[in-house]
Amino acid sequence: CHVFPLYLHTKGNSSIAWPIFNWKNTPRSQGWRIWPFAGAYHSPDGKHQYRFALWPVAHFRKDPESVTRLVLPVYGEYHKDGEDLRVLLPVYLGVKTLRNWAHLTPLWSAGKNNEKNWRLLFPFFFRRWDPRSALTLTPLWSAGRKDESKWDLLFLLYYRGSNAKNDTRQFLTP
């Protein structure tokens, strides 16, 4: 019997006051909802899940390959095959893959991209380094190296550089 939208029933799927109340028991999906307050659906084997609360605000989805959590508009999380993404707006963003990662906040940030690493404490400190080179920047002092060359700078007081390969040195001051 169908008295749409007051009552609707199809093979394993029933709704009262569609789309508010729903319960489902089909070969592909089982679950319920009281829309927009809450709902939970899953596959009969339990490998796939979807839940929500206060739709469209909070969502959770899980399947064999990935997991997703959302609390809109401030939080999001996604995981799949060694890759992670986390967001807490406006204060945090985190990304991680098998070889790379980054954490970003308004003041402190850090990351790695293959062999290159970096750190940032805005506006006081920045450092980047890898096996061949490095760079450090602060408001008053900075330094760097690349292969066999090195340099230092103390703001307005001196600059010093050297190259071990050429056996050269520099020193500058006002």
Side-chain angles (χ1 to χ4, degrees):
C1 176
H2 301 292
V3 186
F4 184 79
L6 297 178
Y7 177 76
L8 175 65
H9 178 77
T10 59
K11 299 177 184 177
N13 190 0
S14 299
S15 294
I16 296 176
W18 181 88
I20 297 172
F21 301 100
N22 174 262
W23 59 97
K24 197 183 254 193
N25 189 5
T26 67
R28 294 188 62 194
S29 180
Q30 299 170 347
W32 60 273
R33 81 167 171 247
I34 302 172
W35 187 80
F37 304 108
Y41 294 99
H42 60 86
S43 61
D45 61 7
K47 292 182 179 179
H48 301 268
Q49 298 177 27
Y50 173 69
R51 296 189 296 250
F52 71 87
L54 299 175
W55 189 93
V57 175
H59 301 269
F60 171 79
R61 183 178 304 275
K62 180 180 179 184
D63 59 48
E65 293 84 36
S66 65
V67 174
T68 304
R69 291 179 183 91
L70 296 172
V71 179
L72 299 174
V74 295
Y75 180 75
E77 185 176 348
Y78 177 76
H79 307 278
K80 181 179 181 177
D81 300 330
E83 296 182 2
D84 298 324
L85 171 66
R86 287 191 172 107
V87 177
L88 180 59
L89 294 176
V91 296
Y92 178 76
L93 170 66
V95 179
K96 181 183 155 202
T97 65
L98 296 175
R99 299 189 65 195
N100 307 317
W101 59 269
H103 299 286
L104 308 173
T105 69
L107 295 177
W108 171 255
S109 298
K112 179 178 181 179
N113 183 359
N114 296 322
E115 293 182 345
K116 296 179 180 178
N117 298 276
W118 58 273
R119 306 288 184 270
L120 172 68
L121 179 59
F122 186 78
F124 306 107
F125 175 80
F126 172 76
R127 176 155 169 79
R128 177 195 49 79
W129 73 96
D130 61 45
R132 293 187 54 226
S133 64
L135 175 66
T136 302
L137 302 173
T138 70
L140 295 177
W141 175 76
S142 299
R145 70 169 169 79
K146 183 167 184 171
D147 297 325
E148 297 181 22
S149 298
K150 295 181 187 178
W151 61 270
D152 291 276
L153 175 68
L154 185 59
F155 185 65
L156 296 179
L157 293 179
Y158 82 87
Y159 168 83
R160 177 182 63 179
S162 68
N163 187 327
K165 185 177 181 180
N166 300 339
D167 195 28
T168 59
R169 292 185 175 92
Q170 298 172 339
F171 185 82
L172 302 172
T173 186

